Amino acid sequence: MIRNFDELIEKIYSGGAKKTVAVVAAHEEHTLEAVDLACKNNIADPILIGDGEKIRELIDAHGFQLKDAEILEEKDDSEAAKAAVAMVKNGNADFLMKGRLQTADLLREVVNKERGLHTGSVMSHFGIFELPNYHKLLVLTDAGMLPCPDANEKAQIIANAVKVLRDLGYECPKVAALAAAELVNKKMQESIDADLLKKMNQDGRLTGCIVEGPISFDLMFSAESAKIKGYESPVTGDADILLMPNMTSGNILAKAFQYVGGAKMAGMIVGAKVPIVLVSRGSAAQEKYLSMVLSAAAAQKQQH
């Protein structure tokens, strides 16, 4: 169990050598601020791809210690994404980071069948949150890749998230397959999927974790609520991973955690050949930095 981002950062600092990150469309203040902090803390060395003039202006204006960083001139977003993916394939970068460009422009190159970073498995978004009123970090998936995953894709989403947590030292992550209620309802596909995923976990088709579902948010979050309702499960009040019914619900809950609940967040794409730092273009530098820390740790484990 990792209780907060300070513990996560401490764990990653002790992990080994710095990684190289290819930053796509790096001409953005908060992106460069996060990269600057990652450099200062020996998390990553950057290759900055984008509008070189704007990148240098931002470095000078904000006093970032990035004057010696490698800068690759490429003003076209699609070409910048293509260059970054090529760097990974050539072994010149260990992970990617999205800067000032549309997510679709980056992911189009990542998923390209001829030159992309596909591994043959589903790619999914891994968001991890530090909530003021929860006792440990909580993963939410998927909130950014698969609009309406079927049960098989949800199993792969779980497997992706479980792998990350196990690499971080978790023995058996607890997964809550969320639905509106804890009963299977034939009119609610997410409850049918959750029931199937639990059975897949029980019969050994989905391993390395405990899957509970369908389960409502209140029972997942509060052991007291579960007790009142007479619902018994090792996941109640102690979930590590929230499997969302679809991308829309995941996106809404993730933003509610942040904007209403005051949560800190880190996010990345997993399931590709390397992790991809993927947060909103409007995200603050702290979120982008924490996402770099998380992705650097995942890249380290992928290469071992």
Side-chain angles (χ1 to χ4, degrees):
M1 179 180 79
I2 300 175
R3 290 175 294 181
N4 51 51
F5 279 118
D6 287 340
E7 288 188 4
L8 178 62
I9 291 169
E10 184 178 343
K11 189 176 188 70
I12 292 165
Y13 279 167
S14 62
K18 284 192 292 185
K19 297 299 174 187
T20 299
V21 56
V23 186
V24 187
H27 43 272
E28 194 276 321
E29 177 186 342
H30 290 157
T31 298
L32 288 174
E33 185 179 348
V35 171
D36 183 57
L37 187 56
C39 288
K40 290 176 181 176
N41 290 331
N42 293 315
I43 296 295
D45 286 322
I47 301 172
L48 305 175
I49 309 168
D51 187 322
E53 183 178 353
K54 288 183 180 178
I55 290 171
R56 293 183 184 92
E57 285 178 357
L58 286 167
I59 289 173
D60 289 340
H62 296 280
F64 297 140
Q65 296 177 22
L66 296 171
K67 292 185 178 180
D68 295 330
E70 181 179 349
I71 297 176
L72 179 63
E73 181 71 36
E74 186 50 77
K75 294 182 181 180
D76 182 89
D77 289 347
S78 295
E79 291 300 316
K82 189 183 297 184
V85 168
M87 285 179 181
V88 170
K89 298 200 78 170
N90 294 334
N92 296 320
D94 300 306
F95 66 103
L96 301 180
M97 180 177 185
K98 172 193 164 190
R100 194 181 183 86
L101 79 163
Q102 295 284 349
T103 297
D105 289 333
L106 176 57
L107 293 182
R108 192 178 299 115
E109 290 302 319
V110 170
V111 303
N112 185 285
K113 292 182 179 179
E114 294 179 0
R115 58 177 181 267
L117 302 176
H118 255 302
T119 61
S121 65
V122 160
M123 285 186 279
S124 53
H125 187 266
F126 178 101
I128 190 165
F129 296 80
E130 180 182 318
L131 293 157
N133 55 346
Y134 197 64
H135 61 289
K136 58 182 174 179
L137 294 179
L138 184 61
V139 174
L140 186 154
T141 188
D142 175 299
M145 279 294 289
L146 298 167
C148 296
D150 60 25
N152 180 60
E153 290 170 326
K154 287 178 179 178
Q156 294 180 68
I157 290 170
I158 290 173
N160 285 346
V162 167
K163 182 183 185 305
V164 174
L165 290 190
R166 286 175 66 89
D167 284 346
L168 289 173
Y170 288 64
E171 290 185 9
C172 189
K174 298 173 182 177
V175 182
L178 292 181
E182 61 273 19
L183 301 175
V184 176
N185 185 330
K186 292 182 180 180
K187 294 183 179 181
M188 302 176 75
Q189 185 61 45
E190 62 271 17
S191 72
I192 298 171
D193 291 347
D195 183 59
L196 176 58
L197 292 165
K198 180 177 179 177
K199 290 174 179 174
M200 290 174 67
N201 179 238
Q202 291 173 333
D203 66 21
R205 286 179 287 165
L206 188 53
T207 61
C209 59
I210 297 172
V211 177
E212 185 60 81
I215 183 171
S216 59
F217 185 89
D218 57 330
L219 299 186
M220 174 286 301
F221 197 80
S222 169
E224 183 62 25
S225 293
K227 183 178 179 181
I228 292 170
K229 288 188 176 182
Y231 187 90
E232 294 185 6
S233 169
V235 173
T236 56
D238 198 41
D240 298 298
I241 299 169
L242 306 184
L243 176 73
M244 303 306 299
N246 52 49
M247 190 175 80
T248 297
S249 61
N251 187 278
I252 291 170
L253 182 57
K255 288 175 179 174
F257 278 171
Q258 292 177 276
Y259 289 94
V260 180
K264 296 179 183 178
M265 179 211 173
M268 63 180 177
I269 298 295
V270 292
K273 290 182 180 178
V274 298
I276 303 165
V277 177
L278 187 66
V279 295
S280 169
R281 283 175 295 164
S283 297
Q286 181 196 50
E287 181 179 334
K288 295 183 178 185
Y289 168 66
L290 292 174
S291 299
M292 290 185 74
V293 172
L294 181 66
S295 295
Q300 198 168 78
K301 291 296 182 179
Q302 283 189 5
Q303 293 167 5
H304 284 175

Short mmCIF file of all heavy atoms in Angstrom, two decimals, residues 186-235:
data_model
loop_
_atom_site.label_atom_id
_atom_site.label_comp_id
_atom_site.label_asym_id
_atom_site.label_seq_id
_atom_site.Cartn_x
_atom_site.Cartn_y
_atom_site.Cartn_z
N LYS A 186 -30.02 -6.88 -15.93
CA LYS A 186 -29.88 -7.18 -17.36
C LYS A 186 -30.00 -5.95 -18.24
O LYS A 186 -29.59 -5.96 -19.40
CB LYS A 186 -30.92 -8.23 -17.77
CG LYS A 186 -30.66 -9.60 -17.15
CD LYS A 186 -31.69 -10.61 -17.61
CE LYS A 186 -31.41 -11.98 -16.98
NZ LYS A 186 -32.41 -13.00 -17.42
N LYS A 187 -30.57 -4.86 -17.70
CA LYS A 187 -30.69 -3.63 -18.46
C LYS A 187 -29.47 -2.71 -18.29
O LYS A 187 -29.42 -1.64 -18.89
CB LYS A 187 -31.95 -2.88 -18.04
CG LYS A 187 -33.25 -3.61 -18.40
CD LYS A 187 -34.46 -2.78 -18.02
CE LYS A 187 -35.76 -3.50 -18.40
NZ LYS A 187 -36.96 -2.69 -18.05
N MET A 188 -28.52 -3.13 -17.45
CA MET A 188 -27.33 -2.33 -17.18
C MET A 188 -26.09 -3.16 -17.50
O MET A 188 -25.68 -4.01 -16.70
CB MET A 188 -27.32 -1.85 -15.72
CG MET A 188 -28.57 -1.04 -15.36
SD MET A 188 -28.65 -0.57 -13.62
CE MET A 188 -27.44 0.74 -13.58
N GLN A 189 -25.52 -2.92 -18.67
CA GLN A 189 -24.44 -3.77 -19.17
C GLN A 189 -23.23 -3.77 -18.24
O GLN A 189 -22.56 -4.79 -18.09
CB GLN A 189 -24.00 -3.30 -20.57
CG GLN A 189 -22.96 -4.20 -21.24
CD GLN A 189 -23.47 -5.61 -21.46
OE1 GLN A 189 -24.60 -5.80 -21.91
NE2 GLN A 189 -22.65 -6.61 -21.17
N GLU A 190 -22.97 -2.63 -17.58
CA GLU A 190 -21.82 -2.59 -16.69
C GLU A 190 -21.94 -3.57 -15.53
O GLU A 190 -20.94 -4.10 -15.05
CB GLU A 190 -21.58 -1.16 -16.17
CG GLU A 190 -22.70 -0.59 -15.33
CD GLU A 190 -23.74 0.15 -16.16
OE1 GLU A 190 -23.78 -0.05 -17.39
OE2 GLU A 190 -24.49 0.94 -15.56
N SER A 191 -23.16 -3.83 -15.08
CA SER A 191 -23.34 -4.80 -13.99
C SER A 191 -23.11 -6.22 -14.49
O SER A 191 -22.56 -7.05 -13.77
CB SER A 191 -24.73 -4.66 -13.37
OG SER A 191 -25.75 -5.15 -14.22
N ILE A 192 -23.52 -6.50 -15.71
CA ILE A 192 -23.27 -7.82 -16.31
C ILE A 192 -21.78 -8.03 -16.50
O ILE A 192 -21.25 -9.10 -16.18
CB ILE A 192 -24.02 -7.93 -17.66
CG1 ILE A 192 -25.52 -7.81 -17.45
CG2 ILE A 192 -23.68 -9.24 -18.36
CD1 ILE A 192 -26.32 -7.70 -18.74
N ASP A 193 -21.10 -7.00 -17.03
CA ASP A 193 -19.65 -7.09 -17.23
C ASP A 193 -18.93 -7.30 -15.90
O ASP A 193 -18.00 -8.12 -15.80
CB ASP A 193 -19.13 -5.83 -17.90
CG ASP A 193 -19.59 -5.67 -19.33
OD1 ASP A 193 -20.11 -6.65 -19.90
OD2 ASP A 193 -19.42 -4.56 -19.88
N ALA A 194 -19.33 -6.56 -14.88
CA ALA A 194 -18.67 -6.66 -13.58
C ALA A 194 -18.82 -8.06 -12.99
O ALA A 194 -17.87 -8.62 -12.43
CB ALA A 194 -19.25 -5.62 -12.62
N ASP A 195 -20.00 -8.62 -13.13
CA ASP A 195 -20.24 -9.98 -12.64
C ASP A 195 -19.35 -10.98 -13.37
O ASP A 195 -18.77 -11.89 -12.76
CB ASP A 195 -21.72 -10.32 -12.84
CG ASP A 195 -22.07 -11.70 -12.28
OD1 ASP A 195 -21.87 -11.93 -11.08
OD2 ASP A 195 -22.55 -12.55 -13.07
N LEU A 196 -19.22 -10.82 -14.69
CA LEU A 196 -18.37 -11.71 -15.48
C LEU A 196 -16.91 -11.56 -15.08
O LEU A 196 -16.18 -12.56 -14.94
CB LEU A 196 -18.54 -11.40 -16.97
CG LEU A 196 -17.64 -12.18 -17.93
CD1 LEU A 196 -17.85 -13.69 -17.77
CD2 LEU A 196 -17.90 -11.75 -19.37
N LEU A 197 -16.46 -10.34 -14.86
CA LEU A 197 -15.06 -10.11 -14.48
C LEU A 197 -14.74 -10.74 -13.12
O LEU A 197 -13.65 -11.29 -12.92
CB LEU A 197 -14.77 -8.61 -14.46
CG LEU A 197 -14.79 -7.92 -15.83
CD1 LEU A 197 -14.86 -6.42 -15.68
CD2 LEU A 197 -13.57 -8.32 -16.65
N LYS A 198 -15.69 -10.66 -12.21
CA LYS A 198 -15.49 -11.31 -10.90
C LYS A 198 -15.36 -12.82 -11.08
O LYS A 198 -14.49 -13.46 -10.45
CB LYS A 198 -16.66 -10.98 -9.96
CG LYS A 198 -16.53 -11.62 -8.59
CD LYS A 198 -17.67 -11.19 -7.66
CE LYS A 198 -17.52 -11.86 -6.30
NZ LYS A 198 -18.58 -11.41 -5.35
N LYS A 199 -16.20 -13.39 -11.93
CA LYS A 199 -16.12 -14.84 -12.18
C LYS A 199 -14.81 -15.21 -12.87
O LYS A 199 -14.23 -16.25 -12.57
CB LYS A 199 -17.32 -15.27 -13.02
CG LYS A 199 -18.64 -15.23 -12.25
CD LYS A 199 -19.84 -15.51 -13.14
CE LYS A 199 -21.15 -15.48 -12.33
NZ LYS A 199 -22.34 -15.60 -13.20
N MET A 200 -14.36 -14.37 -13.78
CA MET A 200 -13.07 -14.61 -14.44
C MET A 200 -11.93 -14.60 -13.42
O MET A 200 -10.97 -15.38 -13.52
CB MET A 200 -12.82 -13.55 -15.51
CG MET A 200 -13.72 -13.65 -16.73
SD MET A 200 -13.50 -12.25 -17.87
CE MET A 200 -11.82 -12.55 -18.45
N ASN A 201 -12.03 -13.72 -12.44
CA ASN A 201 -11.04 -13.66 -11.38
C ASN A 201 -11.09 -14.91 -10.50
O ASN A 201 -10.05 -15.50 -10.15
CB ASN A 201 -11.27 -12.40 -10.55
CG ASN A 201 -10.32 -12.23 -9.40
OD1 ASN A 201 -10.72 -12.15 -8.25
ND2 ASN A 201 -9.02 -12.19 -9.67
N GLN A 202 -12.28 -15.35 -10.20
CA GLN A 202 -12.46 -16.52 -9.34
C GLN A 202 -12.00 -17.81 -9.99
O GLN A 202 -11.50 -18.71 -9.31
CB GLN A 202 -13.92 -16.63 -8.90
CG GLN A 202 -14.35 -15.52 -7.94
CD GLN A 202 -15.84 -15.54 -7.66
OE1 GLN A 202 -16.64 -16.00 -8.48
NE2 GLN A 202 -16.24 -15.01 -6.50
N ASP A 203 -12.16 -17.91 -11.32
CA ASP A 203 -11.78 -19.17 -11.98
C ASP A 203 -10.38 -19.13 -12.60
O ASP A 203 -9.98 -20.04 -13.31
CB ASP A 203 -12.82 -19.58 -13.03
CG ASP A 203 -12.92 -18.62 -14.21
OD1 ASP A 203 -11.96 -17.87 -14.47
OD2 ASP A 203 -13.96 -18.65 -14.90
N GLY A 204 -9.62 -18.06 -12.32
CA GLY A 204 -8.22 -18.03 -12.72
C GLY A 204 -7.94 -17.44 -14.09
O GLY A 204 -6.79 -17.45 -14.54
N ARG A 205 -8.93 -16.88 -14.74
CA ARG A 205 -8.69 -16.24 -16.04
C ARG A 205 -8.17 -14.82 -15.89
O ARG A 205 -7.60 -14.26 -16.84
CB ARG A 205 -9.98 -16.25 -16.88
CG ARG A 205 -10.36 -17.60 -17.45
CD ARG A 205 -11.66 -17.51 -18.23
NE ARG A 205 -12.82 -17.36 -17.34
CZ ARG A 205 -14.03 -16.97 -17.76
NH1 ARG A 205 -14.22 -16.68 -19.03
NH2 ARG A 205 -15.02 -16.88 -16.89
N LEU A 206 -8.36 -14.22 -14.72
CA LEU A 206 -7.90 -12.86 -14.43
C LEU A 206 -7.18 -12.91 -13.09
O LEU A 206 -7.81 -13.00 -12.04
CB LEU A 206 -9.11 -11.91 -14.38
CG LEU A 206 -8.87 -10.40 -14.27
CD1 LEU A 206 -7.94 -9.91 -15.37
CD2 LEU A 206 -10.20 -9.67 -14.33
N THR A 207 -5.86 -12.88 -13.13
CA THR A 207 -5.06 -13.21 -11.95
C THR A 207 -4.31 -12.00 -11.39
O THR A 207 -4.28 -10.92 -11.98
CB THR A 207 -4.05 -14.30 -12.29
OG1 THR A 207 -3.17 -13.82 -13.33
CG2 THR A 207 -4.77 -15.56 -12.78
N GLY A 208 -3.71 -12.22 -10.21
CA GLY A 208 -2.86 -11.21 -9.59
C GLY A 208 -3.61 -10.14 -8.82
O GLY A 208 -3.03 -9.13 -8.41
N CYS A 209 -4.91 -10.34 -8.62
CA CYS A 209 -5.72 -9.32 -7.97
C CYS A 209 -6.98 -9.96 -7.39
O CYS A 209 -7.22 -11.15 -7.59
CB CYS A 209 -6.10 -8.23 -8.97
SG CYS A 209 -7.05 -8.85 -10.39
N ILE A 210 -7.76 -9.16 -6.68
CA ILE A 210 -9.10 -9.55 -6.23
C ILE A 210 -10.09 -8.62 -6.92
O ILE A 210 -9.96 -7.40 -6.81
CB ILE A 210 -9.24 -9.42 -4.70
CG1 ILE A 210 -8.28 -10.36 -3.98
CG2 ILE A 210 -10.68 -9.71 -4.27
CD1 ILE A 210 -8.22 -10.14 -2.47
N VAL A 211 -11.04 -9.18 -7.64
CA VAL A 211 -12.04 -8.38 -8.34
C VAL A 211 -13.40 -8.52 -7.65
O VAL A 211 -13.86 -9.64 -7.41
CB VAL A 211 -12.18 -8.80 -9.82
CG1 VAL A 211 -13.28 -7.99 -10.51
CG2 VAL A 211 -10.85 -8.63 -10.55
N GLU A 212 -13.99 -7.39 -7.32
CA GLU A 212 -15.35 -7.38 -6.75
C GLU A 212 -16.27 -6.61 -7.69
O GLU A 212 -15.91 -5.54 -8.19
CB GLU A 212 -15.34 -6.72 -5.37
CG GLU A 212 -16.68 -6.77 -4.66
CD GLU A 212 -17.16 -8.19 -4.43
OE1 GLU A 212 -16.69 -8.82 -3.46
OE2 GLU A 212 -17.98 -8.69 -5.23
N GLY A 213 -17.45 -7.16 -7.93
CA GLY A 213 -18.40 -6.44 -8.77
C GLY A 213 -19.60 -7.30 -9.13
O GLY A 213 -19.54 -8.53 -9.03
N PRO A 214 -20.69 -6.64 -9.48
CA PRO A 214 -20.85 -5.18 -9.48
C PRO A 214 -20.91 -4.63 -8.06
O PRO A 214 -21.45 -5.26 -7.16
CB PRO A 214 -22.17 -4.97 -10.21
CG PRO A 214 -22.94 -6.23 -9.99
CD PRO A 214 -21.92 -7.32 -9.94
N ILE A 215 -20.34 -3.45 -7.88
CA ILE A 215 -20.33 -2.82 -6.57
C ILE A 215 -20.53 -1.32 -6.75
O ILE A 215 -19.96 -0.72 -7.67
CB ILE A 215 -19.02 -3.13 -5.81
CG1 ILE A 215 -19.04 -2.52 -4.39
CG2 ILE A 215 -17.80 -2.68 -6.59
CD1 ILE A 215 -17.86 -2.98 -3.52
N SER A 216 -21.35 -0.72 -5.92
CA SER A 216 -21.61 0.72 -6.00
C SER A 216 -20.48 1.50 -5.35
O SER A 216 -19.71 0.96 -4.53
CB SER A 216 -22.94 1.06 -5.34
OG SER A 216 -22.93 0.67 -3.98
N PHE A 217 -20.38 2.77 -5.68
CA PHE A 217 -19.28 3.59 -5.18
C PHE A 217 -19.30 3.69 -3.66
O PHE A 217 -18.25 3.63 -3.02
CB PHE A 217 -19.35 4.99 -5.80
CG PHE A 217 -18.18 5.85 -5.42
CD1 PHE A 217 -17.02 5.85 -6.18
CD2 PHE A 217 -18.22 6.67 -4.30
CE1 PHE A 217 -15.93 6.63 -5.82
CE2 PHE A 217 -17.15 7.47 -3.94
CZ PHE A 217 -15.99 7.44 -4.71
N ASP A 218 -20.48 3.83 -3.07
CA ASP A 218 -20.52 3.99 -1.61
C ASP A 218 -20.03 2.74 -0.89
O ASP A 218 -19.33 2.84 0.12
CB ASP A 218 -21.94 4.36 -1.15
CG ASP A 218 -22.99 3.35 -1.57
OD1 ASP A 218 -22.83 2.71 -2.62
OD2 ASP A 218 -24.00 3.20 -0.84
N LEU A 219 -20.36 1.56 -1.41
CA LEU A 219 -19.89 0.34 -0.77
C LEU A 219 -18.40 0.13 -0.99
O LEU A 219 -17.71 -0.40 -0.11
CB LEU A 219 -20.66 -0.87 -1.32
CG LEU A 219 -22.18 -0.86 -1.11
CD1 LEU A 219 -22.79 -2.18 -1.56
CD2 LEU A 219 -22.53 -0.60 0.35
N MET A 220 -17.90 0.55 -2.15
CA MET A 220 -16.46 0.47 -2.39
C MET A 220 -15.71 1.37 -1.44
O MET A 220 -14.68 1.00 -0.87
CB MET A 220 -16.19 0.87 -3.85
CG MET A 220 -14.71 0.99 -4.22
SD MET A 220 -13.80 2.44 -3.61
CE MET A 220 -14.75 3.78 -4.34
N PHE A 221 -16.23 2.60 -1.25
CA PHE A 221 -15.49 3.63 -0.53
C PHE A 221 -15.60 3.49 0.98
O PHE A 221 -14.67 3.81 1.71
CB PHE A 221 -16.02 5.00 -0.96
CG PHE A 221 -15.11 6.14 -0.61
CD1 PHE A 221 -14.01 6.43 -1.39
CD2 PHE A 221 -15.36 6.93 0.50
CE1 PHE A 221 -13.17 7.49 -1.08
CE2 PHE A 221 -14.53 7.98 0.83
CZ PHE A 221 -13.44 8.26 0.04
N SER A 222 -16.74 3.00 1.45
CA SER A 222 -17.01 3.02 2.89
C SER A 222 -17.33 1.63 3.43
O SER A 222 -18.37 1.05 3.10
CB SER A 222 -18.18 3.98 3.19
OG SER A 222 -18.63 3.84 4.51
N ALA A 223 -16.46 1.12 4.28
CA ALA A 223 -16.73 -0.16 4.94
C ALA A 223 -17.96 -0.06 5.83
O ALA A 223 -18.70 -1.04 6.00
CB ALA A 223 -15.51 -0.59 5.75
N GLU A 224 -18.21 1.13 6.39
CA GLU A 224 -19.37 1.33 7.25
C GLU A 224 -20.66 1.21 6.44
O GLU A 224 -21.63 0.58 6.89
CB GLU A 224 -19.29 2.71 7.91
CG GLU A 224 -20.43 2.99 8.89
CD GLU A 224 -20.46 2.05 10.08
OE1 GLU A 224 -19.39 1.50 10.43
OE2 GLU A 224 -21.55 1.87 10.64
N SER A 225 -20.70 1.80 5.25
CA SER A 225 -21.88 1.67 4.39
C SER A 225 -22.12 0.22 4.00
O SER A 225 -23.26 -0.26 3.98
CB SER A 225 -21.70 2.52 3.12
OG SER A 225 -21.70 3.89 3.43
N ALA A 226 -21.05 -0.49 3.71
CA ALA A 226 -21.16 -1.91 3.36
C ALA A 226 -21.71 -2.72 4.53
O ALA A 226 -22.53 -3.62 4.35
CB ALA A 226 -19.80 -2.44 2.92
N LYS A 227 -21.25 -2.36 5.72
CA LYS A 227 -21.72 -3.07 6.92
C LYS A 227 -23.22 -2.85 7.13
O LYS A 227 -23.97 -3.79 7.43
CB LYS A 227 -20.93 -2.59 8.13
CG LYS A 227 -21.28 -3.32 9.43
CD LYS A 227 -20.42 -2.80 10.58
CE LYS A 227 -20.77 -3.52 11.89
NZ LYS A 227 -19.95 -3.00 13.02
N ILE A 228 -23.66 -1.62 6.93
CA ILE A 228 -25.08 -1.30 7.10
C ILE A 228 -25.93 -2.08 6.11
O ILE A 228 -27.02 -2.58 6.44
CB ILE A 228 -25.30 0.22 6.93
CG1 ILE A 228 -24.66 0.98 8.10
CG2 ILE A 228 -26.79 0.55 6.83
CD1 ILE A 228 -24.61 2.47 7.91
N LYS A 229 -25.43 -2.23 4.89
CA LYS A 229 -26.17 -2.94 3.85
C LYS A 229 -25.96 -4.45 3.89
O LYS A 229 -26.54 -5.19 3.10
CB LYS A 229 -25.79 -2.41 2.47
CG LYS A 229 -26.33 -1.02 2.18
CD LYS A 229 -26.08 -0.65 0.72
CE LYS A 229 -26.69 0.68 0.36
NZ LYS A 229 -26.50 1.01 -1.07
N GLY A 230 -25.09 -4.91 4.78
CA GLY A 230 -24.83 -6.34 4.89
C GLY A 230 -24.04 -6.90 3.72
O GLY A 230 -24.19 -8.06 3.35
N TYR A 231 -23.16 -6.06 3.17
CA TYR A 231 -22.37 -6.45 2.00
C TYR A 231 -20.95 -6.77 2.46
O TYR A 231 -20.24 -5.92 2.98
CB TYR A 231 -22.35 -5.31 0.98
CG TYR A 231 -21.71 -5.64 -0.34
CD1 TYR A 231 -22.46 -6.16 -1.39
CD2 TYR A 231 -20.35 -5.41 -0.54
CE1 TYR A 231 -21.88 -6.44 -2.62
CE2 TYR A 231 -19.76 -5.69 -1.76
CZ TYR A 231 -20.53 -6.20 -2.79
OH TYR A 231 -19.93 -6.48 -4.00
N GLU A 232 -20.53 -8.02 2.27
CA GLU A 232 -19.21 -8.45 2.74
C GLU A 232 -18.27 -8.68 1.56
O GLU A 232 -18.60 -9.42 0.63
CB GLU A 232 -19.34 -9.73 3.56
CG GLU A 232 -20.10 -9.55 4.87
CD GLU A 232 -20.11 -10.82 5.71
OE1 GLU A 232 -19.44 -11.78 5.33
OE2 GLU A 232 -20.79 -10.82 6.75
N SER A 233 -17.10 -8.04 1.62
CA SER A 233 -16.08 -8.20 0.59
C SER A 233 -14.79 -7.59 1.10
O SER A 233 -14.81 -6.58 1.80
CB SER A 233 -16.50 -7.50 -0.71
OG SER A 233 -15.40 -7.45 -1.61
N PRO A 234 -13.64 -8.18 0.74
CA PRO A 234 -12.36 -7.58 1.14
C PRO A 234 -12.09 -6.25 0.44
O PRO A 234 -11.20 -5.50 0.85
CB PRO A 234 -11.33 -8.63 0.71
CG PRO A 234 -12.01 -9.44 -0.34
CD PRO A 234 -13.45 -9.47 0.04
N VAL A 235 -12.88 -5.93 -0.58
CA VAL A 235 -12.67 -4.70 -1.34
C VAL A 235 -13.34 -3.50 -0.68
O VAL A 235 -12.88 -2.36 -0.83
CB VAL A 235 -13.17 -4.89 -2.79
CG1 VAL A 235 -13.12 -3.58 -3.57
CG2 VAL A 235 -12.35 -5.96 -3.51
#
